[in-house]
Amino acid sequence: MPSPWRVLHKPESASRHFATEDAMVALVEVGLAEGIVTDGTLAARQSQREAMWRRREGIAAGMIETPGALKGDTAVPVAEIPRFIERACLAVEAIAPGCRPAPFGHVGDGNIHFNVLPPRDGDAAAFASRHDALTAAIEAVALGLGGTVSAEHGIGLIRRDGLLRMHAPAHLAAMRAIKLALDPAGLCNPGKIFSREIVASA
């Protein structure tokens, strides 16, 4: 039966004091014996390593090349990753039936890019019109599990609404006060996270 999870692991550079390849073989063997690993492949040469990473890096490229695709940048506690993905998949399916979730990320820090592709043969523009609702649903799942609306890429302009959902008005007011104290003229990154619109809507 195909595994629902795939982990691409790149160990630190080999050292003459540590047999990296032997350690990886032992890790897979222990995982298989304990039933937490169903299959595994070890790269034997550089060309195989590069081929594996091309698959991983191809996910991001596929998001860019797919019209209407929604890209995300949430994070949750590491132990909550499976629950987050399961619940977020259900949440987006309820909003856009037939959509294709394509989550990937960094298992070590809980940063999951919960991306969603439009339904096959669907209208990309119609799907894109649901981005706000899909994003809010995904962020709600992440926040419900003690996570954050943005991890690797920050808040910027795209996730300002998520910031409002993530912090209480008092927290936002304190952040705004710090911003004003350090940059009273609003010269640094003007109109971004701590714009007047954010404070007014909070």
Side-chain angles (χ1 to χ4, degrees):
M1 185 175 75
S3 173
W5 311 102
R6 292 175 179 83
V7 177
L8 182 60
H9 175 61
K10 180 181 179 182
E12 292 299 319
S13 300
S15 165
R16 63 186 180 88
H17 302 294
F18 184 75
T20 305
E21 186 173 339
D22 292 344
M24 291 302 299
V25 171
L27 178 64
V28 172
E29 289 177 346
V30 170
L32 289 168
E34 295 183 356
I36 59 176
V37 174
T38 58
D39 197 3
T41 300
L42 297 174
R45 51 187 179 273
Q46 184 62 24
S47 61
Q48 293 177 345
R49 295 185 188 92
E50 291 172 356
M52 289 181 176
W53 279 99
R54 276 197 299 272
R55 294 178 69 87
R56 161 62 171 80
E57 291 163 356
I59 298 173
M63 297 301 108
I64 295 171
E65 295 168 0
T66 303
L70 172 67
K71 295 178 282 294
D73 182 42
T74 44
V76 295
V78 173
E80 299 290 1
I81 291 175
R83 201 181 338 263
F84 167 66
I85 292 176
E86 291 165 2
R87 291 182 182 178
C89 283
L90 291 174
V92 297
E93 174 65 25
I95 295 170
C99 67
R100 295 168 291 156
F104 75 100
H106 323 136
V107 174
D109 62 10
N111 178 198
I112 301 299
H113 300 282
F114 198 94
N115 303 319
V116 189
L117 301 174
R120 294 188 188 279
D121 302 322
D123 185 324
F127 181 78
S129 71
R130 300 182 180 179
H131 276 192
D132 288 348
L134 291 166
T135 297
I138 294 165
E139 291 175 350
V141 174
L143 293 175
L145 294 171
T148 175
V149 300
S150 186
E152 185 178 19
H153 298 297
I155 300 298
L157 291 172
I158 296 175
R159 296 178 177 85
R160 291 199 306 186
D161 288 344
L163 185 72
L164 291 176
R165 290 188 286 269
M166 194 167 105
H167 291 291
H171 293 170
L172 290 168
M175 294 163 74
R176 172 69 173 171
I178 293 171
K179 164 70 172 173
L180 288 175
L182 297 175
D183 181 25
L187 299 177
C188 299
N189 211 21
K192 299 299 190 293
I193 299 176
F194 301 109
S195 68
R196 297 190 183 279
E197 291 78 11
I198 277 285
V199 175
S201 58

